[in-house]
C-alpha cells in the first residue's frame, strides 16, 4: 500500500514577493515479511519566497527531507532514520513556458560513507501541439561528492511525456524516462573491476476517464522499468 500528500500554500494577493510553503508526506508499506523492512515514511518541507508576476516568476526555497525506514541494520533495530537532506533550490519560470531549475545541498545518510554533497539542475517545459496533444519534457544533470569516493556520481536524465485528449473528455498518456549514472571512482568497489555505471529506462502508458466532480479523475496506468548496471546487485526489472 502507498499514499502521498503534497500541499502548497502561497500568500494570496498580487504582491511582487510572496512567501510560500510546501509540505509533503509519502508512505509505502509491504505486508509480506520479505519486504516489510523496506517500508518507509518520507517527510518533506519547503519554505520559500515566490517572486515575480504572471508568466515570469522565480522561487527561492530551502528544502528539508527525511526518510524513516521500517527495518533496522546490524547496529540497531528498526524503525530508524535512514537519511535527512538540506538543500537550497531555485526555480525560474519564463514566458515561453520553460522552467530552469537547480539546487545544491547536503544529504546525510545513516551509512556515513554514502553521505554526500549534491548539486543538480536542468530545464523543462510544457507545450501544446494543436488542440489535442500536450507534451512535457525535461533534461537534467546531477553531481554527487560522497564521503566514500566510490559513491561519487555524475548523471543525466531525460523525461518526455505526451498526453492525447480524446472525444468525450477521455485521454491517454505515454511517458519515457532515460537515465545514465556513472560512478567515476568506483572501480573494484562493487565486486567488479570496472567503474559502476547504471542505465535506467522507464516506460508508462495510461488512460483516464472524464473528470468527475471536483476535478477528480480515475485512470489506469501500466509502468515498466529496467536498470542495467555493471554492479549486478543494482540491476532490476520491475
Amino acid at each position: 500500500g502507498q499514499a502521498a500528500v503534497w500541499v502548497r500554500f502561497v500568500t494570496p494577493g498580487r504582491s511582487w514577493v510572496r512567501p510560500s510553503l510546501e509540505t509533503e508526506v509519502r508512505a509505502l508499506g509491504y505486508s509480506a515479511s520479505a519486504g516489510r523492512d523496506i517500508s518507509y515514511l518520507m517527510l518533506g518541507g519547503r519554505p520559500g519566497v515566490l517572486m515575480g508576476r504572471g508568466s515570469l516568476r522565480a522561487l527561492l526555497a530551502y528544502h528539508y527531507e527525511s526518510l524513516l525506514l521500517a527495518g533496522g541494520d546490524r547496529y540497531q533495530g528498526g524503525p530508524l532514520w535512514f537519511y535527512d537532506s538540506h538543500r537550497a533550490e531555485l526555480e525560474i519560470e519564463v514566458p515561453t513556458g520553460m522552467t530552469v531549475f537547480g539546487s545544491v545541498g547536503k544529504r546525510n545518510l545513516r551509512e556515513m560513507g554514502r553521505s554526500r554533497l549534491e548539486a543538480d539542475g536542468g530545464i523543462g517545459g510544457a507545450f501544446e501541439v494543436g488542440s489535442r496533444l500536450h507534451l512535457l519534457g525535461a533534461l537534467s544533470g546531477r553531481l554527487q561528492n560522497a564521503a566514500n569516493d566510490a559513491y561519487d556520481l555524475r548523471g543525466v536524465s531525460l523525461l518526455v511525456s505526451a498526453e492525447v485528449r480524446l472525444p468525450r473528455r477521455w485521454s491517454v498518456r505515454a511517458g519515457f524516462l532515460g537515465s545514465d549514472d556513472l560512478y567515476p571512482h568506483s572501480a573494484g568497489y562493487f565486486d567488479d573491476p570496472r567503474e559502476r555505471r547504471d542505465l535506467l529506462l522507464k516506460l508508462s502508458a495510461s488512460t483516464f476517464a472524464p473528470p468527475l466532480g471536483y476535478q477528480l479523475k480515475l485512470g489506469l496506468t501500466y509502468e515498466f522499468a529496467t536498470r542495467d548496471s555493471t554492479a549486478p546487485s543494482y540491476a532490476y526489472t520491475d
Side-chain angles (χ1 to χ4, degrees):
Q2 57 183 336
V5 178
W6 178 84
V7 182
R8 185 181 191 185
F9 305 92
V10 179
T11 304
R14 300 180 58 84
S15 174
W16 192 82
V17 178
R18 294 184 290 163
S20 73
L21 174 65
E22 297 176 29
T23 59
E24 183 178 12
V25 178
R26 266 189 285 161
L28 184 144
Y30 294 94
S31 58
S33 58
R36 194 168 298 151
D37 282 354
I38 55 175
S39 304
Y40 67 81
L41 174 67
M42 193 280 288
L43 305 173
R46 190 165 79 149
V49 178
L50 185 65
M51 298 171 286
R53 295 176 184 171
S55 58
L56 179 60
R57 298 190 301 177
L59 174 68
L60 180 62
Y62 160 76
H63 192 177
Y64 172 79
E65 191 176 87
S66 61
L67 187 137
L68 182 67
L69 197 61
D73 57 19
R74 68 181 70 179
Y75 306 107
Q76 180 182 333
L80 55 81
W81 291 103
F82 186 66
Y83 74 74
D84 64 83
S85 67
H86 307 265
R87 298 158 62 95
E89 299 186 346
L90 176 66
E91 299 175 3
I92 302 174
E93 301 175 36
V94 296
T96 58
M98 304 294 291
T99 298
V100 179
F101 53 90
S103 67
V104 62
K106 176 74 180 296
R107 190 174 301 266
N108 304 301
L109 287 97
R110 182 171 175 83
E111 186 179 342
M112 295 178 62
R114 295 176 60 188
S115 295
R116 61 189 186 240
L117 298 174
E118 52 189 31
D120 57 75
I123 186 171
F127 311 93
E128 298 286 345
V129 182
S131 59
R132 295 190 177 274
L133 178 60
H134 181 81
L135 298 177
L136 176 71
L139 178 66
S140 64
R142 56 197 162 274
L143 301 172
Q144 297 177 3
N145 184 16
N148 181 341
D149 290 345
Y151 286 98
D152 291 351
L153 180 145
R154 312 288 184 265
V156 63
S157 295
L158 174 66
L159 167 71
V160 179
S161 175
E163 182 178 28
V164 179
R165 301 177 182 92
L166 302 176
R168 299 186 179 180
R169 303 185 73 186
W170 285 79
S171 64
V172 293
R173 183 183 302 165
F176 164 87
L177 172 64
S179 182
D180 185 0
D181 288 318
L182 176 66
Y183 295 76
H185 307 129
S186 62
Y189 185 83
F190 295 101
D191 298 323
D192 193 289
R194 299 168 294 175
E195 295 176 344
R196 176 182 163 190
R197 186 178 186 182
D198 297 346
L199 298 174
L200 175 68
L201 173 66
K202 288 186 177 183
L203 303 172
S204 66
S206 307
T207 182
F208 291 93
L212 303 175
Y214 301 102
Q215 297 300 308
L216 177 67
K217 279 188 176 183
L218 299 179
L220 181 66
T221 300
Y222 172 78
E223 295 181 338
F224 170 80
T226 182
R227 180 164 67 184
D228 181 44
S229 177
T230 56
S233 297
Y234 292 88
Y236 69 83
T237 298
D238 179 26

